[in-house]
Amino acid sequence: MHTNVDTLFAHLWENFLEVTPSAARIHKLLGDSQQSDVINDHIALRTFNLEKVGLDKLAQHFLAIGYQQCGEYHFESKKLYARHYEHPDPNQPKVFISELLVDQCSPALQEVVNELVAQVPEEAVTADNFLYSGTHWQVDSATYEQLLAESEYAAWMAAWGYRANHFTVNVNTLANFTTLESVNQSLKEAGFALNTSGGEIKGSPEVLLEQSSTLADKAPVRFRDGEKTIPACFYEFARRYPKADGALYTGFVAASADKIFESTDAS
């Protein structure tokens, strides 16, 4: 397990950029000349609720470097359960980990996912690089399409495996932007496509969190029967509002997160 928060996030970011080149361009667009003010609000990771690779196994990597469990979230229609974690140092990124409730899915999907997870070596799950290790299996494109028809989440996992599904710009700390609207406008003018599911901005000052995101970059995946270009990862933008005590809200809003998941939908 990593002993250092910065090292872990540096590896995750590097791995994320491999399939999300737009994030580097957006980073430049939003930052000042020193690139010093693009702070990461949180990352999100996906997994399956099978014991070998469940949410708790991913969380272990963060608990080991001082993170603590905070809120939990339910996404009934997508059959997902999630929790978020925070570091005692509020400047460190938050972590949002979700898992697909495989037992609630069709027998066909359960069979595929069980086969995939069976191929993950036990020691891989505790290895330093597990959170950015990608897939430990191979699938063919027909299996990917089969999963996609039932669960975009399962299909994404089958194709991409373990990596940050997205990083998130902390809009509160940007030097050149004060609102999420102005960030979105700037992104659109630069030619980036935004996720419009549930509106360009999900959430509101009333729920203390506003979020928007790009649509996932498309990147090639080597399936067993050849290469195919599919949605990979995306960049999110979050603006947080103060609670009654004046401290910024640090949690997540399930109704908004539900729509953010759709940033990786095949358009």
Side-chain angles (χ1 to χ4, degrees):
M1 301 255 172
H2 281 280
T3 49
N4 182 302
V5 181
D6 296 335
T7 311
L8 174 55
F9 278 93
H11 284 301
L12 284 160
W13 173 250
E14 220 167 278
N15 177 252
F16 169 74
L17 287 182
E18 282 172 19
V19 296
T20 326
S22 69
R25 301 199 304 275
I26 290 169
H27 207 267
K28 226 183 206 113
L29 177 75
L30 300 181
D32 59 17
S33 54
Q34 281 79 43
Q35 296 283 295
S36 58
D37 65 333
V38 179
I39 306 286
N40 179 23
D41 178 85
H42 71 272
I43 63 160
L45 296 156
R46 295 179 174 188
T47 191
F48 302 112
N49 74 332
L50 301 179
E51 196 186 344
K52 190 200 272 184
V53 296
L55 192 159
D56 288 332
K57 294 289 167 67
L58 274 64
Q60 207 44 56
H61 288 266
F62 295 101
L63 297 173
I65 50 175
Y67 275 79
Q68 290 150 4
Q69 184 185 322
C70 296
E72 58 174 355
Y73 311 89
H74 300 271
F75 304 92
E76 273 85 10
S77 68
K78 290 185 172 64
K79 302 182 169 69
L80 304 174
Y81 168 73
R83 286 195 213 124
H84 97 267
Y85 296 79
E86 294 180 28
H87 195 273
D89 173 358
N91 297 317
Q92 295 295 356
K94 289 167 275 296
V95 175
F96 186 90
I97 308 175
S98 57
E99 61 182 6
L100 180 67
L101 306 173
V102 180
D103 44 320
Q104 294 183 15
C105 300
S106 72
L109 183 143
Q110 292 186 42
E111 191 183 336
V112 171
V113 169
N114 278 300
E115 278 172 18
L116 299 183
V117 172
Q119 296 172 61
V120 181
E122 293 283 353
E123 64 275 13
V125 182
T126 52
D128 271 5
N129 70 343
F130 181 62
L131 301 175
Y132 46 92
S133 61
T135 54
H136 297 258
W137 51 72
Q138 267 208 304
V139 291
D140 54 39
S141 52
T143 305
Y144 170 77
E145 294 296 339
Q146 175 201 331
L147 292 172
L148 192 58
E150 181 176 345
S151 165
E152 181 279 328
Y153 186 106
W156 189 93
M157 272 303 297
W160 297 110
Y162 294 95
R163 56 172 64 234
N165 168 263
H166 62 269
F167 271 70
T168 309
V169 172
N170 177 337
V171 173
N172 298 68
T173 60
L174 290 175
N176 304 330
F177 299 87
T178 49
T179 66
L180 192 50
E181 284 85 351
S182 60
V183 169
N184 288 351
Q185 193 51 40
S186 183
L187 291 166
K188 288 187 292 190
E189 283 167 9
F192 294 101
L194 297 183
N195 166 359
T196 56
S197 176
E200 263 178 22
I201 293 181
K202 297 102 175 78
S204 64
E206 288 68 43
V207 295
L208 307 179
L209 176 63
E210 291 179 332
Q211 294 164 277
S212 67
S213 62
T214 61
L215 286 176
D217 281 22
K218 290 198 163 68
V221 169
R222 272 195 291 279
F223 288 103
R224 200 181 283 141
D225 52 341
E227 202 170 76
K228 191 176 164 124
T229 297
I230 61 167
C233 305
F234 61 93
Y235 214 176
E236 189 190 318
F237 314 92
R239 183 181 180 196
R240 297 179 177 278
Y241 288 86
K243 301 176 295 187
D245 65 3
L248 283 184
Y249 177 68
T250 56
F252 293 85
V253 177
S256 303
D258 187 78
K259 300 299 181 197
I260 292 283
F261 277 116
E262 293 169 23
S263 302
T264 50
D265 283 4
S267 48

